């Protein structure tokens, strides 16, 4: 359709709410890059880079990596050519400072966010999801031993890579991550609500049902509606 807008999105929600899962589906359907700060850090950790070593100190404890580090990393990523048609940011921003810095970066590029998709999920449900999550060590595909199991145990359906459990998916670290989410991250929803950007989506049903809702929201956003 002529005059359709690009899609510059943030996906928001607590740990285990399905941000990565939905982002991958959105990225495939609309052909926009999925930018997950957590995935970038995990790649850096796997490569043993300096950034990886620094990030791991925080991630392993369920704490946030310092704002300056994350903001610069995202800035460099957004400057890349593939972000021109749009992007979906997953796991960023996570503090008010990061949200403000993101606005500054977008302004520099002459862009604005189109929507913040907020996945609303009950706390017992996110704990259930995180504790049985498995991730592909090669392509990053996300599985759940009960809700979205791989066809062969321990092996990625898409690329044959080996599946692993994230180091920060232990019960103790998950509790810390949820507390950090409530105290440092959830408050920035207000910042985006004031801008009229937030689209709440019920994240409790199945992956497919959540995606149906997300698509409906994005079609509205693309055609310029404000809900
Ligand atoms: P990050 O990797 O972003 O982790 P998170 O925010 O805690 O979120 P998760 O990746 O755990 O969950 P998700 O919402 O992506 O859920 P998923 O789709 O996998 O960050 C990790 C760490 O990095 C942070 O703690 C911090 O230290 C650091 N960091 C990252 N960004 C930072 C930043 N901006 N600033 C500072 N530090 C930063 O789904 C979860 C499970 O549920 C899967 O098993 C999946 O298969 C399953 N599932 C998904 N949807 C459904 C559904 N609808 N029904 C049933 N099961 C489902
Ligand atoms: Mg994720």
């Amino acid at each position: 359709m002529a005059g359709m807008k690009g899609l510059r999105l943030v996906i928001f929600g607590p740990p285990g709410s399905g941000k990565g899962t939905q982002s991958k589906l959105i990225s495939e359907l609309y052909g926009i890059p999925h930018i997950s700060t957590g995935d970038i850090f995990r790649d850096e950790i796997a490569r043993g880079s300096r950034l990886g070593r620094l990030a791991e100190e925080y991630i392993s404890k369920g704490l946030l990596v310092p704002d300056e580090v994350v903001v610069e990393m995202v800035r460099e990523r957004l400057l890349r050519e593939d972000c021109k048609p749009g992007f979906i940011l997953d796991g960023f921003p996570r503090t008010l400072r990061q949200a403000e810095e993101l606005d500054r970066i977008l302004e520099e590029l002459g862009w604005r966010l189109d929507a913040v998709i907020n996945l609303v999920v009950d706390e017992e449900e996110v704990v259930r999801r995180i504790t049985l999550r498995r991730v592909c060590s090669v392509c990053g595909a996300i599985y759940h031993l009960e809700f979205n199991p791989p066809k062969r145990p321990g092996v990625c359906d898409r690329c044959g890579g080996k599946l692993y459990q994230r180091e920060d998916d232990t019960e103790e670290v998950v509790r810390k991550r949820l507390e950090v989410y409530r105290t440092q991250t959830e408050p920035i929803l207000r910042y985006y609500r004031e801008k009229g950007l937030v689209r709440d989506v019920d994240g409790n049903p199945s992956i497919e049902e959540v995606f149906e809702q997300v698509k409906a929201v994005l079609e509205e956003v693309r055609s310029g509606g404000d809900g």
Side-chain angles (χ1 to χ4, degrees):
M1 191 173 122
M4 273 205 186
K5 295 201 274 180
L7 280 177
R8 301 192 176 101
L9 308 171
V10 166
I11 192 158
F12 203 87
S17 54
K19 300 183 297 296
T21 301
Q22 295 297 323
S23 293
K24 286 175 194 297
L25 295 170
I26 294 167
S27 167
E28 268 171 39
L29 183 64
Y30 294 102
I32 55 176
H34 168 208
I35 304 174
S36 157
T37 44
D39 284 354
I40 299 174
F41 286 136
R42 282 184 287 278
D43 282 347
E44 296 287 338
I45 291 171
R47 290 174 38 214
S49 71
R50 220 173 72 113
L51 175 60
R53 285 197 299 276
L54 182 138
E56 191 169 24
E57 297 235 352
Y58 297 90
I59 294 179
S60 62
K61 301 185 184 105
L63 302 173
L64 297 182
V65 178
D67 287 337
E68 311 80 72
V69 176
V70 190
V71 166
E72 190 45 36
M73 192 174 87
V74 171
R75 184 173 176 280
E76 278 172 26
R77 182 64 188 85
L78 287 174
L79 289 175
R80 277 164 50 185
E81 194 66 23
D82 64 337
C83 292
K84 283 197 172 147
F87 52 79
I88 177 154
L89 283 168
D90 159 10
F92 181 92
R94 251 176 154 100
T95 61
L96 188 57
R97 164 99 195 281
Q98 290 180 18
E100 289 166 353
E101 291 291 320
L102 174 61
D103 279 348
R104 211 180 42 75
I105 295 166
L106 293 176
E107 200 179 298
E108 185 187 321
L109 288 160
W111 294 345
R112 273 172 38 196
L113 285 179
D114 294 304
V116 174
I117 299 163
N118 180 34
L119 297 176
V120 184
V121 182
D122 301 334
E123 190 149 324
E124 324 88 84
E125 176 67 12
V126 303
V127 173
R128 247 195 313 274
R129 289 183 185 179
I130 289 181
T131 45
L132 291 179
R133 169 168 50 197
R134 294 293 183 274
V135 182
C136 176
S137 55
V138 178
C139 75
I142 303 166
Y143 297 90
H144 186 280
L145 296 185
E146 194 183 328
F147 305 137
N148 182 27
K151 293 196 181 74
R152 281 203 295 150
V155 180
C156 180
D157 294 351
R158 299 176 49 142
C159 77
K162 200 169 168 249
L163 305 185
Y164 77 103
Q165 182 162 28
R166 273 168 48 175
E167 189 196 8
D168 61 346
D169 278 356
T170 61
E171 195 171 330
E172 192 197 346
V173 180
V174 169
R175 260 180 233 296
K176 185 70 198 171
R177 285 159 60 198
L178 285 167
E179 181 199 319
V180 167
Y181 174 77
R182 276 192 300 267
T183 55
Q184 303 189 53
T185 304
E186 203 173 23
I188 70 176
L189 266 179
R190 251 190 72 191
Y191 176 84
Y192 285 126
R193 285 202 199 279
E194 278 164 14
K195 294 175 183 284
L197 287 173
V198 179
R199 308 299 183 115
D200 293 307
V201 168
D202 177 9
N204 287 299
S206 70
I207 293 171
E208 294 72 23
E209 286 171 276
V210 174
F211 190 48
E212 286 305 315
Q213 296 179 67
V214 167
K215 275 193 290 192
V217 163
L218 293 181
E219 283 312 312
E220 209 177 271
V221 169
R222 285 217 304 171
S223 59
D226 59 11

